Amino acid sequence: MKTRDKILLSSLELFNERGERNITTNHIAAHLAISPGNLYYHFRNKSDIIYEIFQAYEKLVDYYLEIPENRPMTLDDLAFYLESVFDGLWSYRFFHRDLEYLLDSDLRLRRDYREFTNRCLAAIDRIFGKLAEAGIVQAQPDDLRSAMSLNVWLVITNWMAFLKTAHASEEPSGLSLGELKQGIYQVLTLEVPYVTPEYRDRVLALREKYRPTLPETGVVDG
Amino acid sequence: MKTRDKILLSSLELFNERGERNITTNHIAAHLAISPGNLYYHFRNKSDIIYEIFQAYEKLVDYYLEIPENRPMTLDDLAFYLESVFDGLWSYRFFHRDLEYLLDSDLRLRRDYREFTNRCLAAIDRIFGKLAEAGIVQAQPDDLRSAMSLNVWLVITNWMAFLKTAHASEEPSGLSLGELKQGIYQVLTLEVPYVTPEYRDRVLALREKYRPTLPETGVVDG
DNA sequence: GTATTATTAGAGTATATACTCTAGGCAGTC
DNA sequence: GACTGCCTAGAGTATATACTCTAATAATAC
């Protein structure tokens, strides 16, 4: 593998494991057993590394969220979207953690991420639309639907942060893809009230697959 | 005002405006026109300052979220809770921005924040319960209710980050309390499907007060 | 083989950051 | 007016961090 690609891969790995803030370019170089000079031969600065990683993330999610226009949407499609989006979130999980700082320090990223968010929201909105067409959920007025889509986005992008704080007392980074996907339970919770009676059981069954089993994620009555 | 309190106040102000990551103890001292030595006379380190600010935040939100047990809940109560919570979020907005890093670097904060989250979730859950008792929303099974509560929490705590990214192309920190409170629209969107017919119009009217007017927050169809 | 280009090492640097240390001022008290 | 306890200044430090520079080596072209 090319050094350049190794740098991207290691950076992503280290960022995910320990957070972008805790990983310096020197750490990355040391991890790869290359010199800092070598790293800076391939990338002008740390921001460029992050930006390139973001572009891969963006590409992945865009790919996952392609909506078939030539056939009705199925529940399996929905399950696939949810699984895929959470897979993406997992693979690039460092990104949302330090999002605000990253956007503050890189104009390109700021612009691109904004567009990315809009594309995701539009995709979620279209998914709702196609679910309604397929008779899986009840059709809703446009403004309610887009507000719902936004809530789905908020739940998805914040789920990881919540899990991290819920797990807070244990050793850091004790977080698995499986637990992350319990976020799907939360997303489907948003849709429950809109599901048509015919699909209700099937949606609830899908949701049940992701029900959290750990006490941390439940509400503690006080 | 005592120097100690001035340090806390200035720190909060600077953290909110520019992010904890961008503000050093030297910045805080300079802002107050005191020496670093003076600052470190009052606080052992930066973490201690942040921890103390967090405790004030916690206290404020706990105070806001006291649920009256001796009378039924009203829609005005709900409006008050939402307004208050978003006020608190605004006053301590730096906190959620760098949450993960802050929790990673301070064990006390990690523990306390986890308890804080649980208290908030329990409060939201109780509010749903009392809204149901008052006939404002339909009663739901416990597990659905707690999943809904968690979604409310996720939407609330992620709304600011979303707004920041939506505003991303403009000058930084161009964010107002008014815009932040559009988050109330999103929270009430979560509750819409559960509102009883008798209260539907009133809840929708309350929600309408917070409807976003800016194009940024709408879904762009692509 | 030689010229050219791409890649790498590794020492080095300017700046920042969290924090320390010493000396001293100031207010109250006897 | 000296003693005491609280507060403050300000220079200073160890470490880290992003990044640079020069020289050498490997790869490729001709």
Side-chain angles (χ1 to χ4, degrees), chain A residues 61-62 64-69 71-73 78 81 118-134 137 142 145-146 148-150, chain B residues 219-222:
Chain A
V61 175
D62 282 345
Y64 282 153
L65 285 182
E66 275 172 17
I67 319 287
E69 296 295 349
R71 60 171 178 80
M73 186 165 288
L78 179 61
Y81 290 135
N118 281 333
R119 285 202 304 282
C120 289
L121 286 173
I124 297 170
D125 208 55
R126 267 205 308 281
I127 290 172
F128 270 125
K130 295 216 72 172
L131 288 174
E133 280 172 30
V137 304
D142 281 359
R145 196 173 75 187
S146 55
M148 281 167 58
S149 302
L150 182 45
Chain B
V219 170
V220 175
D221 220 327

Side-chain angles (χ1 to χ4, degrees), chain A residues 96-113:
Chain A
H96 289 276
R97 174 180 164 153
D98 284 305
L99 183 61
E100 290 197 46
Y101 175 82
L102 296 177
L103 298 191
D104 268 1
S105 11
D106 190 334
L107 179 67
R108 299 165 300 178
L109 200 57
R110 194 146 78 237
R111 262 197 323 250
D112 288 10
Y113 183 75

Side-chain angles (χ1 to χ4, degrees), chain A residues 20-21 97 100-101 104 110 114 122 143 147 151 154 157-158 164 166 168-169 186 190 193-194 211 220, chain B residues 20-21 97 100-101 104 110 114 122 143 147 151 154 157-158 164 166 168-169 186 190 193-194 211 216 220:
Chain A
E20 176 270 339
R21 187 171 179 174
R97 174 180 164 153
E100 290 197 46
Y101 175 82
D104 268 1
R110 194 146 78 237
R114 182 182 170 166
D143 60 341
N151 278 340
L154 293 171
T157 54
N158 203 23
K164 284 248 186 83
S169 64
Q186 291 303 127
L190 294 175
Y194 301 99
R211 178 190 286 272
V220 175
Chain B
E20 177 271 338
R21 187 170 178 174
R97 174 180 164 153
E100 290 195 47
Y101 175 82
D104 268 0
R110 195 147 74 236
R114 182 182 169 164
D143 60 340
N151 278 340
L154 293 171
T157 55
N158 203 22
K164 284 247 186 83
S169 64
Q186 291 303 127
L190 294 175
Y194 301 99
R211 179 192 285 273
E216 285 90 350
V220 175

Side-chain angles (χ1 to χ4, degrees), chain B residues 64-210:
Chain B
Y64 282 153
L65 284 184
E66 276 172 17
I67 318 287
E69 296 295 348
N70 54 346
R71 59 171 178 80
M73 185 163 290
T74 66
L75 247 190
D76 285 344
D77 288 328
L78 178 61
F80 171 79
Y81 290 134
L82 289 167
E83 282 273 345
S84 303
V85 163
F86 277 86
D87 280 335
L89 212 58
W90 174 255
S91 304
Y92 295 85
R93 60 191 178 279
F94 86 94
F95 190 72
H96 290 277
R97 174 180 164 153
D98 284 305
L99 184 61
E100 290 195 47
Y101 175 82
L102 296 177
L103 299 190
D104 268 0
S105 12
D106 189 335
L107 180 67
R108 299 165 299 178
L109 201 57
R110 195 147 74 236
R111 263 198 323 251
D112 288 11
Y113 184 75
R114 182 182 169 164
E115 292 307 311
F116 174 66
T117 302
N118 281 334
R119 286 201 304 282
C120 289
L121 286 173
I124 297 170
D125 208 55
R126 269 205 307 281
I127 290 171
F128 270 125
K130 296 216 71 174
L131 287 174
E133 282 173 28
I136 297 173
V137 303
Q138 281 140 16
Q140 301 296 331
D142 280 0
D143 60 340
L144 179 59
R145 196 172 76 186
S146 55
M148 279 168 58
S149 302
L150 182 45
N151 278 340
V152 167
W153 175 252
L154 293 171
V155 167
I156 289 174
T157 55
N158 203 22
W159 175 249
M160 176 108 56
F162 170 76
L163 265 192
K164 284 247 186 83
T165 62
H167 280 223
S169 64
E170 298 155 39
E171 74 283 358
S173 84
L175 200 60
S176 68
L177 178 55
E179 288 164 288
L180 181 64
K181 288 199 174 168
Q182 291 164 4
I184 297 179
Y185 181 86
Q186 291 303 127
V187 174
L188 287 175
T189 298
L190 294 175
E191 308 189 0
V192 162
Y194 301 99
V195 174
T196 57
E198 310 91 76
Y199 275 90
R200 191 171 169 81
D201 287 348
R202 287 181 59 196
V203 171
L204 287 179
L206 177 64
R207 176 168 169 266
E208 208 55 36
K209 277 173 57 184
Y210 300 100

